[in-house]
Amino acid sequence: MITDNAAILILGSIPGDRSIAENEYYAHPRNRFWSLLAELTGSKQANSYSEKLRLLSSNGISLWDVAEKANRKGSMDSAIKEYTVNDIDRLLTENPTIRVVVFNGKTAERLYRDNFEEREGVKYLSMPSTSPANAAYGMERLCGRWCKITEYIRIYKEQKKG
């Protein structure tokens, strides 16, 4: 989901089985991504996927995955064997308003760093995974770490007004 004039790109590793089946980002009901985003933006919890996409758009956020496809059994990142990456270099070139790349979990960051170079003028933030498999992070702790992106959301909204 690439939002016009987005300032923030959140990268996951690769969609899980549920997300693939429903053709929606973070479709697993126990994934905390959408609840976290609502909390960080001060928005009400989005119920429909179209509401979730509007939440992204209104806050200058795009979503994508580092891997386009992978050989893996199930949805766990630890099961990723061989993979092919998305063309993130092209995405960033075609969307120069993206100034912040956020990794949703260590696997997304590792896959990115194994295949791409950091770009000058782009800030990179590593965040704990919102996956239910990341049981070490409760919602409060996730919010505590992810709150770093609220500064960039605020800047995006101020620039949009001006």
Side-chain angles (χ1 to χ4, degrees):
M1 165 54 193
I2 307 305
T3 304
D4 289 338
N5 299 312
I8 301 164
L9 172 63
I10 299 176
L11 291 172
S13 55
I14 190 165
D17 291 344
R18 181 79 175 255
S19 292
I20 292 168
E22 295 187 23
N23 197 31
E24 294 182 4
Y25 281 97
Y26 303 105
H28 192 288
R30 289 193 345 243
N31 191 300
R32 291 136 330 152
F33 180 80
W34 296 111
S35 297
L36 176 71
L37 195 57
E39 179 76 24
L40 294 175
T41 60
S43 304
K44 68 179 182 97
Q45 180 68 41
N47 294 315
S48 70
Y49 195 59
S50 61
E51 288 175 347
K52 293 172 182 177
L53 297 180
R54 278 193 298 278
L55 179 63
L56 293 173
S57 180
S58 66
N59 288 284
I61 300 171
S62 286
L63 295 179
W64 211 19
D65 293 294
V66 179
E68 176 184 24
K69 56 186 171 182
N71 179 6
R72 103 178 143 182
K73 188 173 186 165
S75 295
M76 298 295 290
D77 281 354
S78 59
I80 295 173
K81 303 293 181 216
E82 300 165 1
Y83 63 92
T84 304
V85 294
N86 279 308
D87 193 350
I88 297 170
D89 281 333
R90 182 178 55 82
L91 173 76
L92 293 173
T93 298
E94 291 176 358
N95 295 275
T97 57
I98 295 173
R99 307 312 301 157
V100 180
V101 172
V102 180
F103 301 111
N104 186 353
K106 291 179 181 173
T107 301
E109 180 178 13
R110 179 180 53 79
L111 296 178
Y112 183 90
R113 296 196 186 284
D114 286 351
N115 293 280
F116 302 97
E117 298 290 324
E118 285 192 5
R119 289 177 165 240
E120 190 173 322
V122 175
K123 175 108 175 135
Y124 293 84
L125 300 173
S126 301
M127 297 296 157
S129 174
T130 59
S131 166
N134 184 12
Y137 277 81
M139 190 59 145
E140 185 175 330
R141 191 170 175 208
L142 276 176
C143 284
R145 287 288 306 282
W146 276 79
C147 71
K148 293 176 185 175
I149 73 167
T150 58
E151 172 187 350
Y152 302 102
I153 293 169
R154 181 187 54 77
I155 291 168
Y156 167 81
K157 287 182 173 184
E158 286 175 2
Q159 290 174 342
K160 195 174 171 184
K161 284 181 192 175

